[in-house]
Amino acid sequence: MSLKDEFATRNFSIYGQWLGILSMILCFALGIANFFNLFFHPLLVIFAILALVSCFIILFIEVPLLLRICPTSASFDAAIRRVSTNYMRAGTYGVMAVIQWVSIAVATSSLIAAAVVLTFTALCYLAAGIKGQAFVGSKTLGGAGVAQMIV
């Protein structure tokens, strides 16, 4: 199944997964960019660090192949594997979005873009859960048996 075919399925979990990848990229880039606000808004640096942490959590949630490749602890693997349903993913992304929305209280920054995309990602996973759509991992990102083929 190609990427075009995956998007044509109208499964919101596929949309959520790809928005999650976009969220990861934004959290990484904006976390690093806002890290340099140390002298102007020291509290904003905390939210930049939280964005970077969110980036790596999203990476392991959305690319399950990395749990087999990267040496991680058993407790970390178990925590990431708990985020397997659409509702759990929606909740996880919702919490990350709220954290970035709270950063506006400290200072208006580019972290708003990460908050918006994290919110859309949470809404896609929530829509998939409400519609009763089963989580379908993108084959492009290592889901649907790709990890089993490598190991």
Side-chain angles (χ1 to χ4, degrees), residues 75-123:
S75 60
F76 178 78
D77 290 352
I80 294 297
R81 286 195 175 103
R82 267 187 256 144
V83 186
S84 60
T85 65
N86 288 325
Y87 288 117
M88 285 295 291
R89 287 175 184 246
T92 303
Y93 279 102
V95 168
M96 287 187 243
V98 166
I99 290 171
Q100 295 309 317
W101 282 112
V102 171
S103 73
I104 297 171
V106 172
T108 305
S109 70
S110 57
L111 289 172
I112 296 171
V116 169
V117 177
L118 286 166
T119 302
F120 284 141
T121 305
L123 291 174

Side-chain angles (χ1 to χ4, degrees), residues 32-45 108-110:
I32 290 174
N34 283 285
F35 192 74
F36 296 109
N37 281 327
L38 182 62
F39 304 111
F40 304 110
H41 300 288
L43 290 177
L44 194 61
V45 173
T108 305
S109 70
S110 57

Side-chain angles (χ1 to χ4, degrees), residues 10-66:
R10 298 186 193 268
N11 190 328
F12 280 96
S13 66
I14 292 285
Y15 303 150
Q17 192 169 20
W18 282 101
L19 279 173
I21 295 299
L22 180 61
S23 299
M24 178 193 65
I25 293 167
L26 278 174
C27 284
F28 184 75
L30 298 176
I32 290 174
N34 283 285
F35 192 74
F36 296 109
N37 281 327
L38 182 62
F39 304 111
F40 304 110
H41 300 288
L43 290 177
L44 194 61
V45 173
I46 295 169
F47 290 101
I49 292 169
L50 290 172
L52 288 170
V53 169
S54 296
C55 164
F56 290 107
I57 291 172
I58 293 169
L59 181 65
F60 283 102
I61 289 173
E62 297 300 350
V63 186
L65 180 64
L66 291 178

Side-chain angles (χ1 to χ4, degrees), residues 62-65 138-148:
E62 297 300 350
V63 186
L65 180 64
S138 175
K139 288 183 182 176
T140 309
L141 297 174
V146 175
Q148 286 78 19

